[in-house]
Amino acid sequence: MAHATEIRKLAMIGCGSMGGGMALLFAEHGITVSLNDPSEKTMDQLLTTAEKDGLQDRMQKHSSYEDLCNSLGFPKVFVFSLPHGTVGDSVVDGLHPYLTEGDIILDASNENWQNTQRRQGKLIPQGVYYIGMGVSGGYQAARRGPSLCPGGEERALEIVMPLLRKVAAKDSQGNSCVARAGSGGSGHYVKMIHNGIEHGMMSALAEAWQIMNLGLLMSYDEIADEFDRWNENGELRGTFLIAIGADICRQKDEQGRHVLSIVEDKVVQDVDGSEGTGIWSQLEAVRLHVPAPSLTTAHFIRLASAFRAERKHVKEAFGGQFPVQGWKEAKGEKKAVLESLRKAVYTVFLASFVEGINVIDQADQENRWKIDYSAVVQIWRNGCIIKADYITDMLADIFRKPDADLDLLHNKRVAQELHDTFPALKEVVMKGVEHNAIVPSLSATLEFLKYSTNTILPTQFYEAQLDYFGKHMFDLKSEAAGKPETGQHHHEWKLA
């Protein structure tokens, strides 16, 4: 198969908000897009949008896989935008009779990386390439240029990469935010951890927003102005979540109300099955024995928020809630408090990246994907939810060295950044605790930094208890710090 193959046609299977946006984006770049979706209405709506955008001549719908495949060139290229799980298996099975050697499937869904690798193995005998490709930036980016994280066979990626570079988001230097993450299911794995990092960042920013609103009694518009200041320069410059945070705080409906004021405190995507990556990223951190509390704690508050009726029931049982109190003493020092809050949020953001990359590193060692971390940083430069210019500039400098230590807590610059912002984080958490502020990710990150840098942990007593009732053995303080392996010593604390 020649590597100079130019893709002029592709099939988009799944035409919802993400798939539909990508279909329009491909068409806009001169690609003829064949549509397939179980809903005729969804395809018709997309065709109507295409007509408005002057792209109707580059799109057509197909109700059967046979017709869909007959509309394509060689190699046949398919882009999936499907719910995670068994739907992808059903589509692969449906396409199977019409696939030939050299065909390429780009799975742009938020699919579980293990499903990706299983399908790759299933299609190898047929000579069909299956690329797991994370897509980030939401439905707006899917239409205008998303961050793309493909992983799989290098030969297949050489064919699709010219097209992906055309449609991907561009960084400030005009470089495409797409690159081969690695082999196997690495593309979906990196995107999964991207979403875990995203949750840690979102939680910290939401916690800061509530402190400003209920603690410092700032209006939505005042908070928007503060977010603009944070996003302009310093450690939080060029951060997507802060930029949209300012937009969210300012947005008003037709009645003149701030839209944010009528939004319920209820995140359900993890519970209703529409989003799996948040759950999988936490499971991976635990499975691989990687402390990632900034990410996992953010997930727990999402879960608690989903069950609002249950929270109301608990509130009644408690005879009330623990209300967030105004930080009255902060009135005269509001500017200083806001600066501490900015640094605290940055600390969680950076810690989230550190934790997420540690998880990726362990998975990479296990699966031998040969992750290209410089490529991952480029993917995260723009078009994605975790875009954070200061942090990615720092990471780019670190990963430019081929022998870079992937545990970023060992890196002098990262360590210095976290060390310098630790006092601000501590101050915010202390005031938050005093005034009942809800600060799960902020406080979890504070504890993460404390126990990650400490060689005198309370687990000394914990280990003794385990040996007392379970004969789990222990190491001696007089011995060199070794690997996480069972100790060689036991004390008979009490005769059986």
Side-chain angles (χ1 to χ4, degrees):
M1 182 165 49
H3 291 164
T5 302
E6 182 181 358
I7 298 171
R8 293 189 173 92
K9 298 179 179 181
L10 61 78
M12 176 61 67
I13 302 181
C15 302
S17 59
M18 292 294 289
M22 285 189 287
L24 293 166
L25 181 63
F26 285 125
E28 197 168 64
H29 283 81
I31 305 300
T32 299
V33 183
S34 297
L35 307 176
N36 178 268
D37 192 279
S39 169
E40 286 280 337
K41 181 180 179 182
T42 297
M43 289 192 288
D44 288 341
Q45 288 174 338
L46 179 55
L47 289 170
T48 298
T49 302
E51 187 173 2
K52 291 178 182 176
D53 291 351
L55 301 171
Q56 67 273 17
D57 293 339
R58 295 182 190 151
M59 274 195 199
Q60 51 189 339
K61 65 178 181 177
H62 299 271
S63 57
S64 75
Y65 290 142
E66 183 176 10
D67 288 344
L68 181 74
C69 292
N70 287 337
S71 73
L72 303 175
F74 178 81
K76 293 188 288 295
V77 177
F78 305 87
V79 181
F80 288 3
S81 184
L82 305 167
H84 62 82
T86 58
V87 175
D89 293 315
S90 298
V91 173
V92 169
D93 289 342
L95 291 173
H96 193 270
Y98 312 106
L99 297 176
T100 56
E101 184 176 355
D103 289 345
I104 299 170
I105 296 173
L106 271 166
D107 187 346
S109 317
N110 267 335
E111 186 55 274
N112 186 290
W113 66 280
Q114 292 172 311
N115 288 338
T116 302
Q117 297 205 146
R118 176 172 50 77
R119 292 172 195 158
Q120 287 171 338
K122 178 179 179 178
L123 292 167
I124 282 175
Q126 207 173 352
V128 174
Y129 297 109
Y130 193 98
I131 298 169
M133 184 173 73
V135 179
S136 182
Y139 69 92
Q140 297 101 331
R143 175 64 184 92
R144 301 301 172 190
S147 164
L148 300 173
C149 185
E153 284 287 336
E154 191 168 0
R155 286 173 293 178
L157 280 164
E158 285 176 355
I159 295 171
V160 300
M161 198 59 78
L163 173 61
L164 298 182
R165 289 194 187 102
K166 286 181 184 178
V167 300
K170 307 297 185 289
D171 65 16
S172 60
Q173 304 301 311
N175 299 311
S176 297
C177 295
V178 59
R180 180 176 183 260
S183 62
S186 60
H188 276 148
Y189 196 97
V190 171
K191 174 53 165 59
M192 172 188 72
I193 298 302
H194 162 288
N195 285 17
I197 295 170
E198 170 189 314
H199 294 177
M201 295 172 71
M202 291 181 73
S203 184
L205 193 59
E207 293 162 34
W209 166 80
Q210 191 173 69
I211 287 172
M212 285 189 269
N213 185 228
L214 298 184
L216 301 179
L217 304 179
M218 293 170 64
S219 69
Y220 291 163
D221 290 325
E222 288 173 328
I223 296 172
D225 291 343
E226 185 65 16
F227 282 163
D228 283 342
R229 185 180 74 82
W230 289 7
N231 205 42
E232 189 174 337
N233 51 52
E235 298 92 338
L236 294 177
R237 64 176 169 80
T239 301
F240 173 81
L241 286 169
I242 293 176
I244 69 166
D247 289 345
I248 289 168
C249 286
R250 289 196 178 97
Q251 195 80 223
K252 293 183 179 180
D253 62 17
E254 60 279 359
Q255 299 176 38
R257 299 175 301 181
H258 284 91
V259 178
L260 181 56
S261 69
I262 61 171
V263 175
E264 192 68 279
D265 62 340
K266 186 177 167 186
V267 176
V268 302
Q269 285 75 17
D270 304 300
V271 177
D272 68 6
S274 61
E275 174 57 71
T277 54
I279 298 170
W280 305 331
S281 57
Q282 312 316 319
L283 291 174
E284 280 296 288
V286 174
R287 184 183 73 84
L288 295 169
H289 317 299
V290 178
S294 307
L295 315 187
T296 53
T297 307
H299 186 70
F300 291 143
I301 190 173
R302 284 165 63 103
L303 295 180
S305 79
F307 296 96
R308 194 172 199 280
E310 173 65 14
R311 284 186 281 128
K312 290 182 69 175
H313 188 63
V314 173
K315 178 181 174 181
E316 292 170 2
F318 272 62
Q321 61 187 2
F322 303 106
V324 180
Q325 300 165 356
W327 296 21
K328 296 178 182 178
E329 70 276 15
K331 287 184 178 179
E333 52 186 64
K334 183 177 178 181
K335 186 175 180 180
V337 170
L338 288 172
E339 178 59 12
S340 292
L341 190 57
R342 184 188 70 83
K343 289 180 178 178
V345 168
Y346 166 67
T347 309
V348 180
F349 282 15
L350 181 54
S352 296
F353 276 88
V354 169
E355 295 167 16
I357 289 170
N358 279 345
V359 177
I360 294 172
D361 176 36
Q362 291 302 306
D364 187 27
Q365 291 182 45
E366 179 182 78
N367 291 277
R368 299 180 181 179
W369 290 321
K370 296 183 179 178
I371 296 283
D372 184 340
Y373 289 89
S374 291
V376 171
V377 173
Q378 180 58 33
I379 291 165
W380 292 346
R381 280 283 191 183
N382 198 16
C384 69
I385 306 301
I386 65 172
K387 174 187 180 292
D389 290 351
Y390 183 91
I391 291 176
T392 49
D393 283 349
M394 185 187 345
L395 295 180
D397 287 342
I398 293 169
F399 293 133
R400 197 167 284 123
K401 299 176 182 177
D403 59 345
D405 189 336
L406 295 175
D407 187 339
L408 293 175
L409 290 180
H410 297 165
N411 182 273
K412 291 291 186 182
R413 181 176 175 189
V414 172
Q416 190 65 53
E417 295 269 335
L418 293 170
H419 178 274
D420 290 349
T421 55
F422 180 86
L425 176 62
K426 182 178 179 181
E427 176 191 343
V428 168
V429 171
M430 287 175 63
K431 286 189 175 181
V433 170
E434 183 181 355
H435 295 90
N436 289 338
I438 298 167
V439 289
S441 287
L442 290 166
S443 58
T445 301
L446 179 71
E447 294 301 321
F448 171 66
L449 296 178
K450 285 162 60 181
Y451 60 65
S452 293
T453 59
N454 205 310
T455 55
I456 309 175
L457 296 179
T459 45
Q460 174 184 349
F461 182 73
Y462 197 144
E463 178 79 331
Q465 291 181 94
L466 289 168
D467 188 59
Y468 187 109
F469 65 75
K471 198 176 182 179
H472 288 288
M473 315 296 281
F474 55 85
D475 289 330
L476 297 176
K477 285 188 173 184
S478 58
E479 297 171 338
K483 295 180 179 180
E485 298 172 343
T486 302
Q488 300 300 310
H489 307 278
H490 167 68
H491 178 75
E492 196 65 32
W493 303 88
K494 181 180 179 181
L495 293 176

